[in-house]
Amino acid sequence: MVQLCGLLTCQEEPVPLKSISVTLSICEFVAGVSVTLNYENEEKVPLEVFFVFPMDEDSAVYSFEAMVDGKKIQAELQEKMKAHSNYENAISQGQQAFLLEEDKCSRDVFCCNVGNLPPGSKAALTLKYVQELPLEADGALRYVLPAILNPRYQLSGGPEDSCLKMKAPVVPLEDLPYTISLVATISSQHSIERIQSNCILSPTEYLDDKKTSARVSLADGHKFDRDVELLIYYSDVHTPSVALEMGKPMQKPDSLMGDTAAMVSFYPDIPEAEPVTCGEFVFLMDRSGSMQGPMSKQDKSQSRIDAAKETLTLLLKSLPIGCYFNVYGFGSSYEAFFPNSVQYTQQTMEEALRRVKLMRADLGGTEILIPLQFIYRGPSIPGHPLQLFVFTDGEVTDTFSVIREVRSNRERHRCFSFGIGEGASTSLIKGIARVSRGTSEFIIGKERMQAKALRALKRSLQPVVEDVSLSCDLPQGLSAKMLSPEQTVIFRGQRLIVYAQLTGTMPSAEATGEVCLKYTLQGKSFENKVTFSLQPKHDDNFTIHRLAAKSFLQTKDMGFRETSAGDKKEVLEVSIESGVISSHTAYIAINKDLNKPVQGPLARRDIPTPFLLSTTAMTPWKRACTRSKASSYYRLPASEPTMITHYSSMSHQQNGHGTRRSLTNKILFSLGEHDSGTFSHQCLFTTRIGLDRSHALGHRQKKKGLSLKETSPELERAHSSNKRTNLETHHPVFGENYLVQLISLQKADGSWDLCEGLAIVLGVKLRDIRDAFTIKNADLTSWATALAVLWLHANGQDLKCEWELLERKAVAWIHNHADSRILSRTFISVHKVEDSLELSLLSCCMN
């Protein structure tokens, strides 16, 4: 069941929420947010209510206030147990009181108690926070206002006092009683190219001629039934910078809030290097019931488990020969493809792909801790460091226990985590990646899990960047204290943000400082430098100071129960000084000016939440969740599921009459020279391919995804042939989705066999391909592999990020195995003739 944020009574019944108002201010890559929720008690009895809402775990919440019947009540940040005691005392005396706290089990969920809300009273609750915006692969800065708060699975032996157990009834969307308004102002030193959203926006209003400032807003009447996402594109996001912010005048020196704070942003220019071919790659896939839900609320959206299966297929095809791998599925119990990680060969790849085809979301709840412990207990493979890939919708209650387990094993592995669908826990997904020096990704709406997973795999195959150091060159009398954790891993194309506290005497206006990032890659030393002015700017919200405090808290604060005594002391000091809430502090406000105490017993009332498409799929599984201990068993599901493929996000063009228009590409590749895993352009191999993209992606029917049983007659004949290979036998048929079909035919070493399935993808008869190949006694596998690679380049450019690694394997195989007569004497010319391909082979003498 999906549950939205809302004000709930102590009996878990919602209170009428009238509207939500959000003011968003984005400057460069930092967001300042003010959220106000307007409620009204229309009943004749007083209420005690709970305000439960999700937050991105990177958000630094620094202010909370209540406006009750025109009176403003500002909250104070106190130690959590003290705040609880003060709240209970106030309520017992009939006073109005407000308590805001981070949930004890997860950093991305907040709870607010509103005590003694009288009949007829109106309450406006406002919280403020600041947040770094993550940088997407396409250069967009991404802001998400969370709406979805999924029920989280209770880990075995986990705590019982989490607010995440609250549930709310669901109703059709049209019956939802509240709306949301959002106004966003964006400013940058660079021009703003465009602003996109998953929701309907007003036209972008530029506030100056240079387009460095703009304003957008949500369309009127928007229902808060999904996460609101904004993507901001600047003309340049890769410029390194240093920003200084003045401290509070009345704070003591040598303190976080009293000293100047610095925010250093680097975009290291790490050169591309040959990928490593070793490693133990373990894929931990969520198979809980909620994974049967759709990726988005769009009609006919692909299910999460089907997207995960396609992603696993791509990942397994892209692994390097000689590595080790295994796949685990988890829910209330867990299963492994193999008893231990196995070497990546043709046989093990085929077996794994066969089992991927059989995967279903049939394992109940989300018990992720026990399979993680099992994986970590496994023996290390010498020369093959562990790379863990975790895919989950993140519905776990006690995220701190999971993060602690990953952190305790951080020296032996890296974790790359993926949050699937709206409502995935940002605390879990970001937390396990951060403590293990990996990366995290979130897939919502129409985003493709495949692209983000392959990007992470590329990072895991990058050579290790070593000897990372950050130093500051400052005038005498001024020193820098790093507040961010020491950087030990840097990935190519990633932004690096570091916070520091400048202690000492600030120099004159003309003085400058310099910060230098140094690192070593494959024995070569690199450095990036930034020179900056030592004149800090004033900010009423102390944004940089609070982001710095948040960075420090994320390193030290491991939850209300998991933080060590020493770290807890530091967490309390920094949290209370900066005003940034932590798991050990809470905001408390008491209205002591009431003329008389509130009288009468407290009552509960309901406010409904909307019925979402994923609800029907998720609810039965969540109800069936148990807390039984998971056990490792090595088995396969009894029945074979139907796979629905959705490899169809690439757009195809049509002419004015609705017919397909072919795409003609001319690609010049040299197969004779192997350069960093790609073809060098030496014009030894010329191909002209006339397949249109609709052929590539199987758009011969109106459906975007076809089941296994809805294949074309040609494909059915090809896969029912008595002459089919073992590879064809073990690989799933992906309907008329030719790109996925081509990938499914690739062998583990990167090559393709010349077979009926490949011919169907190319759109020609197998006999014609064989007849066109006139070199005697040559290996047809080289010929087939070259055609497959060229087809990818001609028809799959929009999804290149998803097949780059497997194409790199193919090119390496051609370089190492192909007949030299093919590489040096053969030109291939492929022309578009109507709806088929015409291949001709020209043999030439090369000088």
Side-chain angles (χ1 to χ4, degrees):
M1 182 183 295
V2 174
Q3 172 176 305
L4 300 190
C5 65
L7 202 58
L8 306 177
T9 70
C10 56
Q11 289 80 21
E12 301 176 7
E13 292 287 344
V15 171
L17 171 62
K18 299 302 182 183
S19 64
I20 302 172
S21 176
V22 181
T23 301
L24 171 64
S25 176
I26 297 175
C27 182
E28 304 298 352
F29 49 85
V30 174
V33 188
S34 176
V35 181
T36 300
L37 300 103
N38 298 295
Y39 299 92
E40 182 177 358
N41 181 5
E42 298 176 328
E43 304 297 325
K44 298 179 180 180
V45 293
L47 301 172
E48 180 180 15
V49 295
F50 290 102
F51 169 35
V52 180
F53 58 97
M55 293 281 290
D56 190 292
E57 85 120 31
D58 287 334
S59 302
V61 178
Y62 67 89
S63 175
F64 177 70
E65 64 184 34
M67 183 74 72
V68 181
D69 298 327
K71 178 177 176 57
K72 180 178 178 181
I73 307 171
Q74 186 69 45
E76 175 189 353
L77 192 62
Q78 298 178 357
E79 190 273 330
K80 179 171 284 188
M81 299 310 296
K82 178 182 177 182
H84 272 271
S85 177
N86 289 336
Y87 173 80
E88 295 296 339
N89 290 336
I91 294 300
S92 65
Q93 297 172 18
Q95 295 177 316
Q96 282 186 336
F98 305 86
L99 181 73
L100 175 68
E101 62 180 324
E102 180 181 286
D103 186 70
K104 293 181 179 180
C105 300
S106 187
R107 193 180 275 135
D108 61 345
V109 177
F110 283 72
C111 307
C112 174
N113 297 26
V114 179
N116 287 329
L117 187 64
S121 290
K122 295 181 179 180
L125 308 179
T126 300
L127 63 107
K128 297 179 181 179
Y129 65 91
V130 290
Q131 176 189 352
E132 296 172 12
L133 299 184
L135 182 65
E136 298 294 295
D138 63 352
L141 291 167
R142 182 180 194 172
Y143 169 75
V144 175
L145 178 67
I148 305 300
L149 181 57
N150 293 329
R152 308 253 176 120
Y153 182 75
Q154 180 74 41
L155 296 175
S156 299
E160 299 290 335
D161 55 351
S162 172
C163 68
L164 288 164
K165 292 187 176 182
M166 298 179 183
K167 295 179 175 64
V170 293
V171 297
L173 180 60
E174 59 269 18
D175 293 337
L176 199 66
Y178 51 87
T179 60
I180 180 174
S181 63
L182 181 147
V183 177
T185 303
I186 300 98
S187 60
S188 171
Q189 61 179 323
H190 306 289
S191 62
I192 302 167
E193 293 185 343
R194 64 186 185 277
I195 302 169
Q196 296 178 345
S197 178
N198 62 332
C199 303
I200 300 176
L201 297 178
S202 65
T204 301
E205 176 188 359
Y206 288 102
L207 305 180
D208 62 354
D209 295 337
K210 296 182 179 180
K211 295 186 176 182
T212 59
S213 182
R215 181 186 295 122
V216 294
S217 59
L218 277 178
D220 293 339
H222 176 81
K223 297 287 187 179
F224 205 18
D225 66 326
R226 70 189 73 177
D227 294 346
V228 178
E229 178 189 62
L230 293 180
L231 296 175
I232 299 99
Y233 293 84
Y234 297 139
S235 59
D236 186 6
V237 294
H238 297 96
T239 303
S241 63
V242 178
L244 301 185
E245 183 180 86
M246 294 175 61
K248 284 187 175 182
M250 304 303 293
Q251 293 286 332
K252 62 181 180 180
D254 298 333
S255 65
L256 171 60
M257 297 304 292
D259 286 337
T260 296
M263 182 182 194
V264 182
S265 175
F266 271 113
Y267 299 84
D269 187 17
I270 300 175
E272 187 172 7
E274 280 292 324
V276 298
T277 57
C278 61
E280 179 188 5
F281 299 88
V282 174
F283 305 101
L284 182 58
M285 183 63 67
D286 192 340
R287 287 177 53 190
S288 62
S290 57
M291 287 290 289
Q292 190 58 45
M295 288 295 297
S296 73
K297 293 180 286 296
Q298 303 298 321
D299 189 27
K300 298 182 181 180
S301 172
Q302 183 182 26
S303 72
R304 298 175 183 182
I305 192 64
D306 285 333
K309 289 162 71 171
E310 286 189 9
T311 302
L312 266 179
T313 298
L314 276 170
L315 288 168
L316 291 172
K317 288 288 185 176
S318 302
L319 292 177
I321 284 288
C323 72
Y324 287 77
F325 79 101
N326 204 350
V327 179
Y328 291 80
F330 72 93
S332 298
S333 58
Y334 67 94
E335 302 174 0
F337 279 15
F338 307 99
N340 293 295
S341 292
V342 296
Q343 192 168 17
Y344 182 71
T345 64
Q346 180 65 26
Q347 182 180 2
T348 57
M349 183 195 73
E350 289 181 8
E351 177 64 15
L353 290 172
R354 184 176 70 86
R355 298 186 182 194
V356 168
K357 179 182 177 182
L358 301 175
M359 285 176 56
R360 290 181 294 179
D362 58 356
L363 293 183
T366 312
E367 183 74 61
I368 189 175
L369 183 58
I370 294 178
L372 277 173
Q373 292 170 337
F374 180 83
I375 292 169
Y376 292 143
R377 286 198 301 267
S380 299
I381 303 174
H384 294 271
L386 176 62
Q387 311 272 19
L388 178 62
F389 292 74
V390 178
F391 297 83
T392 178
D393 56 15
E395 298 174 8
V396 178
T397 298
D398 193 0
T399 62
F400 285 118
S401 295
V402 180
I403 294 171
R404 180 188 61 178
E405 182 66 28
V406 175
R407 184 182 186 182
S408 65
N409 290 275
R410 65 184 180 275
E411 297 301 328
R412 58 166 298 198
H413 87 300
R414 289 189 296 187
C415 180
F416 299 87
S417 54
F418 304 86
I420 303 171
E422 293 178 335
S425 170
T426 59
S427 179
L428 176 68
I429 302 303
K430 292 185 177 182
I432 60 177
R434 182 178 59 251
V435 299
S436 63
R437 299 162 299 172
T439 61
S440 60
E441 298 277 4
F442 291 87
I443 305 102
I444 64 173
K446 296 182 180 180
E447 292 180 316
R448 291 183 57 78
M449 187 189 308
Q450 297 89 329
K452 295 194 173 186
L454 267 294
R455 182 161 66 241
L457 181 60
K458 292 174 191 176
R459 286 172 173 168
S460 73
L461 293 171
Q462 289 179 11
V464 177
V465 175
E466 301 175 309
D467 303 325
V468 180
S469 65
L470 191 69
S471 60
C472 292
D473 183 9
L474 300 171
Q476 188 174 2
L478 191 64
S479 61
K481 174 186 176 182
M482 294 298 167
L483 298 173
S484 300
E486 180 183 1
Q487 297 294 323
T488 57
V489 174
I490 306 175
F491 293 103
R492 187 171 185 267
Q494 221 179 12
R495 182 182 62 194
L496 175 65
I497 295 179
V498 178
Y499 296 95
Q501 175 183 337
L502 301 187
T503 302
T505 304
M506 297 301 294
S508 61
E510 295 79 14
T512 60
E514 183 180 78
V515 61
C516 180
L517 174 68
K518 296 182 180 180
Y519 56 92
T520 302
L521 177 64
Q522 295 182 322
K524 295 182 180 180
S525 297
F526 298 88
E527 65 177 36
N528 298 129
K529 294 182 179 180
V530 180
T531 301
F532 59 95
S533 170
L534 284 171
Q535 293 304 304
K537 296 182 179 180
H538 175 72
D539 181 356
D540 289 335
N541 295 323
F542 298 96
T543 299
I544 294 178
H545 283 79
R546 283 169 170 143
L547 289 174
K550 182 66 176 182
S551 178
F552 177 85
L553 293 173
Q554 284 179 322
T555 304
K556 297 287 186 178
D557 187 1
M558 293 303 296
F560 188 74
R561 299 174 180 86
E562 307 291 343
T563 307
S564 65
D567 287 343
K568 179 180 177 180
K569 181 180 178 181
E570 292 186 81
V571 167
L572 282 171
E573 291 176 353
V574 171
S575 178
I576 291 176
E577 180 187 353
S578 65
V580 175
I581 203 168
S582 71
S583 67
H584 299 276
T585 53
Y587 272 106
I588 174 72
I590 300 174
N591 184 6
K592 300 179 180 179
D593 296 334
L594 288 178
N595 294 328
K596 60 180 180 178
V598 177
Q599 302 294 326
L602 302 182
R604 56 175 283 176
R605 291 295 178 266
D606 296 333
I607 187 170
T609 57
F611 179 88
L612 305 181
L613 290 178
S614 60
T615 302
T616 54
M618 296 169 67
T619 302
W621 294 106
K622 289 301 175 183
R623 289 176 179 170
C625 292
T626 64
R627 299 178 188 173
S628 62
K629 291 185 178 180
S631 59
S632 174
Y633 47 97
Y634 177 57
R635 66 172 178 83
L636 292 177
S639 60
E640 179 177 327
T642 300
M643 177 178 288
I644 307 297
T645 61
H646 288 259
Y647 221 110
S648 55
S649 64
M650 188 188 302
S651 61
H652 61 282
Q653 296 175 323
Q654 295 184 340
N655 61 23
H657 302 285
T659 59
R660 291 184 308 229
R661 185 175 65 188
S662 66
L663 169 71
T664 302
N665 289 338
K666 184 174 183 180
I667 308 170
L668 305 178
F669 290 136
S670 166
L671 301 185
E673 297 190 19
H674 180 230
D675 180 18
S676 300
T678 58
F679 290 120
S680 59
H681 300 261
Q682 307 242 343
C683 299
L684 293 181
F685 201 104
T686 304
T687 303
R688 198 174 170 83
I689 297 182
L691 285 177
D692 59 32
R693 293 183 179 181
S694 60
H695 176 88
L697 292 167
H699 289 285
R700 290 185 175 181
Q701 299 185 24
K702 292 183 179 180
K703 291 185 178 182
K704 291 187 177 181
L706 301 174
S707 71
L708 292 179
K709 298 179 181 179
E710 296 172 331
T711 57
S712 65
E714 294 87 354
L715 283 175
E716 290 178 352
R717 286 195 297 271
H719 286 269
S720 63
S721 172
N722 293 329
K723 297 181 181 180
R724 62 186 177 183
T725 65
N726 289 334
L727 180 66
E728 292 170 305
T729 301
H730 287 95
H731 281 289
V733 181
F734 290 88
E736 294 192 13
N737 190 323
Y738 291 101
L739 182 57
V740 179
Q741 176 66 14
L742 179 68
I743 292 171
S744 74
L745 293 172
Q746 189 186 30
K747 297 164 69 175
D749 61 7
S751 65
W752 274 268
D753 285 331
L754 188 58
C755 62
E756 189 70 31
L758 179 61
I760 291 171
V761 173
L762 296 176
V764 296
K765 294 180 179 180
L766 180 61
R767 181 183 66 254
D768 293 340
I769 301 177
R770 293 181 185 275
D771 292 345
F773 193 75
T774 58
I775 299 178
K776 296 182 179 180
N777 301 321
D779 183 11
L780 292 178
T781 302
S782 303
W783 172 233
T785 304
L787 288 176
V789 171
L790 294 171
W791 189 96
L792 284 172
H793 280 270
N795 297 277
Q797 282 296 321
D798 287 356
L799 298 176
K800 184 177 180 181
C801 61
E802 298 180 17
W803 50 258
E804 272 183 312
L805 288 178
L806 59 88
E807 181 254 8
R808 183 178 293 169
K809 282 204 302 184
V811 175
W813 185 92
I814 291 172
H815 176 69
N816 294 325
H817 297 88
D819 193 311
S820 60
R821 292 173 295 174
I822 296 176
L823 299 182
S824 61
R825 298 179 55 201
T826 305
F827 282 82
I828 305 170
S829 180
V830 187
H831 297 281
K832 178 75 170 62
V833 179
E834 298 299 333
D835 284 328
S836 63
L837 291 177
E838 177 182 296
L839 286 80
S840 61
L841 186 65
L842 306 175
S843 297
C844 304
C845 295
M846 305 295 295
N847 295 328

